[in-house]
Amino acid sequence: MSSKIKICSEFWPNGQVKSFGLIKEGEWHGVVQGFWANGQPDFQQSFSDGITNGPYQFFFPNGQVEETGVFIEGENYGVTESFGIDGHLRQRFIHKSQAIHGLWPIQHENATLIDRGSRFEMVYELDPNVQGSEIWN
């Protein structure tokens, strides 16, 4: 039986493309792109049968990258980076794997490493609400 793939797109009231991608058997499949009403990119994300799978990027309305990372079968994988609206790096998340044990030797100037359980975060602008017990030394 062959699967049907359809092109799907949405539009903003002003006529600009809101999102564009492929639908396979009712689920997103392949690269899906979203756009802000001003035409700037909003997101670019890869899917496999409706599950996020592959690299992604989110953008601010001015077109500046907000976040980049990778999903493997719906789970964050590897390194995710978060940026400020002016383009400076705010946080770097290092997602932990069940298969990896021990400590990772990570050093980066001007960053605070925080253990969040399922991931490490390298925070470049430390939130004053972060608890001291979360900071990894």
Side-chain angles (χ1 to χ4, degrees), residues 19-85:
S19 65
F20 180 85
L22 300 176
I23 300 284
K24 176 182 171 186
E25 297 176 1
E27 303 283 353
W28 286 115
H29 191 77
V31 177
V32 177
Q33 293 182 288
F35 300 90
W36 294 98
N38 66 6
Q40 292 286 348
D42 179 7
F43 66 89
Q44 182 172 347
Q45 198 164 358
S46 299
F47 290 84
S48 180
D49 298 320
I51 298 171
T52 53
N53 198 29
Y56 72 89
Q57 288 185 304
F58 297 124
F59 300 87
F60 289 107
N62 69 357
Q64 184 68 41
V65 174
E66 181 178 7
E67 185 174 297
T68 64
V70 175
F71 280 100
I72 301 294
E73 297 180 4
E75 299 289 328
N76 281 107
Y77 178 83
V79 176
T80 298
E81 293 182 325
S82 171
F83 300 89
I85 198 163

